[in-house]
Amino acid sequence: HVQLVESGGGSVQTGGSLRLSCEVSKYTHSSRCMGWFRQTPGKEREGVASMHTSGGSTTYADSVKGRFTISRHNANRTSVLLSLQMNNLNIEDTAMYYCAAKGGGYCGTDSPEIFASWGQGTQVTVS
C-alpha cells in the first residue's frame, strides 16, 4: 500500500519561495501518476500540478503556471521523492498542500477524486 508523507511547508513573505517534498514509499504501478493539491477552509480541494512518472508529462493549474515546478527523483528502489518548487508566492497560495498518487490513465489536476492515495498535508502560509 503506497504511503505519502509531505514536508517543507511553512510561512513566507509575498514574493518568496518554498519547496515542498513528498516521499512516496512502496512505489508501485498504483502510483504512476502523482500530483499536488491544495485546500483552504470552506473551499474545495484544488489541483496544483501533476506528473505522470512514465514519460514525465506534467500539468499545472493556470494560477501557478510559470511559478511552480513539479519534479521527482528516485529516492531508492521502492521510494520516489516528489517535489513542488514554489516561487513568487502570493497570499492566494496560502493553503494546506497535499500530495497524492494514483495508477495510470488520466493524470490531470482537475479531478482530485480519482487520486486514491493521499498524504497528511503540509501548511503553506504567505503573508
Side-chain angles (χ1 to χ4, degrees):
H1 184 68
V2 64
Q3 297 175 341
L4 301 94
V5 179
E6 302 99 333
S7 61
S11 297
V12 65
Q13 292 186 336
T14 299
S17 298
L18 280 175
R19 186 177 183 87
L20 305 183
S21 296
C22 175
E23 182 174 359
V24 184
S25 59
K26 299 182 181 180
Y27 173 78
T28 68
H29 63 278
S30 66
S31 50
R32 287 179 178 169
C33 168
M34 295 183 282
W36 288 96
F37 296 81
R38 64 187 182 187
Q39 190 170 23
T40 55
K43 292 187 177 181
E44 294 185 354
R45 194 161 293 187
E46 173 191 25
V48 175
S50 63
M51 167 179 276
H52 204 293
T53 59
S54 176
S57 60
T58 58
T59 60
Y60 293 92
D62 288 342
S63 60
V64 306
K65 283 181 180 176
R67 301 188 298 122
F68 291 12
T69 303
I70 188 172
S71 62
R72 58 149 282 189
H73 72 266
N74 294 335
N76 55 50
R77 287 175 55 189
T78 59
S79 296
V80 169
L81 191 65
L82 182 72
S83 299
L84 184 69
Q85 177 66 41
M86 306 185 295
N87 298 327
N88 194 20
L89 287 160
N90 57 57
I91 292 176
E92 290 72 30
D93 295 317
T94 295
M96 183 71 78
Y97 283 71
Y98 300 87
C99 65
K102 63 181 292 291
Y106 182 67
C107 192
T109 58
D110 55 347
S111 303
E113 67 276 8
I114 65 176
F115 282 76
S117 302
W118 292 83
Q120 82 289 350
T122 185
Q123 178 68 37
V124 171
T125 302
V126 185
S127 60

